[in-house]
Amino acid sequence: MSNSPHDKVLDENLKWTQINEDVIRSMQNPRKAYWISVAVCVSMFFCAILAEIYQYRMGMGTAGLNNPHMWDMYLATFVFWIGMSHAGTLLSAILHIIHAQWRKPIYRFAEAMTTFSLLTAGFFPMIHLGRIWNLYWVLPYVSDRGVWPNFRSPLSWDAFAISTYLSASALFLVIGMIPDMAVLRDHTKGWRAKVYGVLALGWRGDDRQWRNFRKTYMLMACFLIPLAVSVHSIVSSDFSMSINPGWHVTTFPPYFVAGALYSGCAAIMTLFVCLRYFFRMEDYMTLNIMEKTTKLTFAIAGVWNYLLFVEFASVWYGHSVYDKELLIAKATGDYAPVFWTMIFCSTVVPFTMAFQKLRRHMPTMFIVSLFLQLGMYTERWMIVAPTLAMSHNPHQWDILWAPVVQWAIVFGSFGWFGLLFLVFVKVFPSVSMYEVKELTLHQKEEFEEERRMREAGMFMPESATAPPLPGDEHKRPEDRVAGRPGMEGA
Amino acid sequence: MSFKNIMENFSNYRKDAEMGGHHDYEHRWAMAIDLDVCTGCNACSTACYAENNLAVVGKEKFEKGQGMHWLRVERYWEDNDTREHPENGAMFLPMMCQQCGAATCEPVCPVAATYHTPDGLNAQVYNRCIGSRYCNNNCPFRVRYFNFWSYYESSWPEPLNMQLNPDLSVRDKGVMEKCTFCIQRIRVAKDLARREERKVIDGEFLTACAQACPTGAIVFGDTMNPESQVSKAWAKHQITRGPHTHTKPKDNPELRGYRIFAELNVDPSVMYLERVRETEV
């Protein structure tokens, strides 16, 4: 930890009672925009329900699929949602282990996002099955007929990986909320008090409980990180284990994991802006935190773009005619508009995040994050569809644009995710109270230390050497330390 | 019991992983299709529809690519701008499941609904299929057909349901299906041979397509029997089984045999004989 004022993520003088009050208030009277969002999500979800009922009754033909195009948007959406879940783990587990303090006010909703996007993703392999009612055959249950799933199939690995990841991340979410549940149990009435009472698991906040809690939390974090990496690697092997041009790519596992973190961080940015506005969380979800999230996203965008380039280059310099032809067709063929949308959204747009003024401007970042997600969605679709359109056998080449049933279900999945998420943030604290308290205490100690060192003449603040922020230029370095922007809200 | 199965079959599994394909074959059904003799008349496809209870999906769905023709006659034309012999017209290629020795469809099915039989066929267990459609995505030939709709009522309205072949089932929606080399006929012939305590005789039975072909372009038989017609054809054109044999030699025009996508090491069971053009001779 450096003592740079850049690490001052929120006002260290927030009173603990104030934190409790603010968070409990956020769960009671959100802005009107919250209720509008809920209504929109419900109606989107309703569209998907209708489409799914129709598809279930009539067969997969309603989704417009045909012989070469056996998979389409459903699988792309599946990969998209799985990917989104990864950033939650990044924030809650990886940054926990490396002691990044700024994650504390925002990791709770990111963790919730992980769980709910997994719940959404899990629907897609099911929805796209021809005989959904036999879904359980993918699981290795003991049957007296001695029939097992095919352990060589990446789809059956998916079933194991996703169910493990889902249960682990849900458990992580619930465990992380225990101290907050206890606070809420003591400060609410009615059904809320009962629910929180159960979830607090008898938390009294004594020494032993805190010690065990910390250990458990750290253990779960360590358990979750390899799981997150493996899940998306396994999802990528749905493609890379196949023989098709454009799918049979060795670099897919790291490429998918990078893409997952990328789209997930973009989703965190979107939700950050929304929650900050809905629940008037300006004191907790500060601009400094947003800036750090954005920088992280920018770095990940760099990694992802590098891996994308590696993929293209290895096809270009490889000797497979099928792959090369497919790559050229992606950039120039019928799917070219989608391809260039992807390149624009996920390679060009991220450069807006290189400018500090834009990073600290919430509406811009909201729009940028939506662009990034659009880019990542089209990227997933560009993996699934063009390969099927132009595989080995030229007789079976076909261009397919998804009909309305697919769109409705994909659209509705956003509604379902949004609904779960919005209900969660209303019922449970979207800001982790105990960790914010920890953070204020930590910061106070740090600043106290810094002040003492400065008085003793032992401390040279980093900002004395670093270039000053806009508006700070005229100040002396010492003043820059005290009067940092970022806490002003808005 | 089930764990015992896995442990006992582990050595087979290793062999399979290293060499590709099942190794203790009783028969290896295979084909030789002479494209020089093929006239593209589609009799094979029609016979397949009749024999295997294939659904007739109608023009609209067929155009969408949802047809159920296990055997399709692919048509190719030379590029209009560059073709040297416009009189040649279309080129035909009857394409059905190639019953690969190292089939790419088999390992990817999550429920093992498609598996390798001791006859060297890729069998599809309709009852086990959950319709993930991964098998067709991984098939370089794209010869697997999915029941995107329920066709029973639309395809065989009464009394047409009386024409259905009772030897095999009618598949309902959500199930993948494909050419089986007329496995129902294979079963009958094998059962009969076993009852009469003899081996299956070459030419004792044919697949529906081979039987219907007016020019005899499709030869069907067992490559484990060196005396069979198909073995002789394979031997004549120097095509051998195994995943690592490659495409036809270029130097000898007499050797017309090749296997499609052999370079992908899938070991197809169908050998095609290249068409000879009069203009080229």
Side-chain angles (χ1 to χ4, degrees), chain A residues 174-189:
Chain A
V174 171
I175 287 177
M177 283 198 299
I178 290 175
D180 282 2
M181 289 295 107
V183 172
L184 290 173
R185 173 194 61 197
D186 301 341
H187 288 83
T188 50
K189 290 189 197 97

Side-chain angles (χ1 to χ4, degrees), chain B residues 16 18 49 83 93 104 143 150 158 175 179 186 197 208 220 222 231 238 244 254 257 261:
Chain B
D16 183 65
E18 281 156 19
Y49 266 86
R83 70 182 184 178
L93 185 95
T104 47
V143 285
S150 188
E158 282 190 34
V175 172
C179 166
I186 295 176
E197 296 176 350
F220 171 81
D222 180 7
S231 296
Q238 296 179 10
H244 298 292
E254 291 287 300
F261 297 138

Side-chain angles (χ1 to χ4, degrees), chain A residues 162-454:
Chain A
I162 293 167
S163 52
T164 314
Y165 188 39
L166 176 62
S167 40
S169 64
L171 193 61
F172 193 51
L173 178 66
V174 171
I175 287 177
M177 283 198 299
I178 290 175
D180 282 2
M181 289 295 107
V183 172
L184 290 173
R185 173 194 61 197
D186 301 341
H187 288 83
T188 50
K189 290 189 197 97
W191 65 270
R192 279 183 186 262
K194 271 183 203 158
V195 172
Y196 301 141
V198 172
L199 288 174
L201 302 176
W203 180 269
R204 295 183 308 278
D206 62 34
D207 229 26
R208 190 182 58 90
Q209 283 184 336
W210 273 110
R211 252 198 326 273
N212 289 344
F213 173 76
R214 297 252 181 248
K215 257 185 221 159
T216 317
Y217 195 75
M218 190 51 120
L219 207 68
M220 281 299 291
C222 295
F223 179 64
L224 213 56
I225 293 166
L227 212 54
V229 174
S230 73
V231 165
H232 221 52
S233 304
I234 284 170
V235 168
S236 81
S237 55
D238 284 350
F239 303 102
S240 55
M241 285 297 200
S242 83
I243 198 172
N244 290 314
W247 283 8
H248 188 70
V249 180
T250 320
T251 54
F252 259 9
Y255 174 63
F256 268 54
V257 173
L261 294 176
Y262 188 11
S263 67
C265 283
I268 285 178
M269 283 160 63
T270 315
L271 295 176
F272 183 101
V273 178
C274 290
L275 287 185
R276 180 183 153 96
Y277 179 74
F278 289 167
F279 296 129
R280 305 178 180 89
M281 287 290 200
E282 286 84 357
D283 289 344
Y284 300 91
M285 301 185 184
T286 60
L287 291 180
N288 273 352
I289 298 180
M290 183 58 167
E291 192 171 345
K292 283 173 197 294
T293 317
T294 319
K295 281 179 182 167
L296 185 68
T297 314
F298 186 65
I300 292 168
V303 174
W304 180 84
N305 273 295
Y306 168 71
L307 287 167
L308 181 73
F309 177 72
V310 166
E311 193 203 325
F312 289 168
S314 57
V315 169
W316 193 255
Y317 292 108
H319 286 292
S320 169
V321 264
Y322 306 111
D323 282 283
K324 208 162 178 177
E325 196 172 14
L326 179 70
L327 180 62
I328 294 168
K330 274 182 183 176
T332 58
D334 291 87
Y335 290 146
V338 186
F339 178 81
W340 293 109
T341 309
M342 161 193 137
I343 294 290
F344 173 75
C345 292
S346 45
T347 306
V348 181
V349 171
F351 282 101
T352 51
M353 297 188 293
F355 300 100
Q356 194 181 39
K357 263 196 179 154
L358 293 177
R359 282 205 299 263
R360 302 179 77 86
H361 189 244
M362 287 293 122
T364 314
M365 278 303 110
F366 184 67
I367 291 164
V368 165
S369 70
L370 291 183
F371 264 108
L372 297 184
Q373 285 177 72
L374 175 68
M376 290 315 289
Y377 187 86
T378 48
E379 185 258 339
R380 273 64 186 262
W381 189 80
M382 280 308 285
I383 289 171
V384 176
T387 289
L388 296 177
M390 255 187 86
S391 182
H392 290 99
N393 189 345
H395 185 266
Q396 293 299 95
W397 285 0
D398 182 40
I399 295 294
L400 178 82
W401 296 101
V404 71
V405 170
Q406 275 196 50
W407 281 101
I409 289 182
V410 169
F411 189 65
S413 74
F414 286 86
W416 161 249
F417 169 79
L419 192 63
L420 285 176
F421 187 78
L422 288 171
V423 169
F424 175 86
V425 293
K426 181 84 168 57
V427 176
F428 296 102
S430 50
V431 169
S432 166
M433 289 184 272
Y434 80 94
E435 290 199 276
V436 170
K437 289 171 195 166
E438 248 173 40
L439 182 59
T440 55
L441 192 69
H442 193 87
Q443 278 189 346
K444 219 181 272 178
E445 279 170 0
E446 235 172 49
F447 285 111
E448 191 63 23
E449 178 76 12
E450 196 181 302
R451 194 182 55 77
R452 257 186 280 120
M453 286 175 81
R454 200 181 313 114

Side-chain angles (χ1 to χ4, degrees), chain B residues 212-266:
Chain B
C213 181
T215 57
I218 303 178
V219 176
F220 171 81
D222 180 7
T223 43
M224 295 287 275
N225 174 3
E227 296 307 310
S228 70
Q229 233 187 319
V230 74
S231 296
K232 285 176 185 164
W234 279 56
K236 189 180 162 200
H237 294 278
Q238 296 179 10
I239 298 290
T240 48
R241 294 304 299 241
H244 298 292
T245 56
H246 280 286
T247 42
K248 70 186 195 68
K250 292 260 188 278
D251 47 352
N252 188 352
E254 291 287 300
L255 300 178
R256 297 188 290 128
Y258 68 96
R259 291 185 296 165
I260 298 175
F261 297 138
E263 74 271 22
L264 297 175
N265 284 342
V266 288

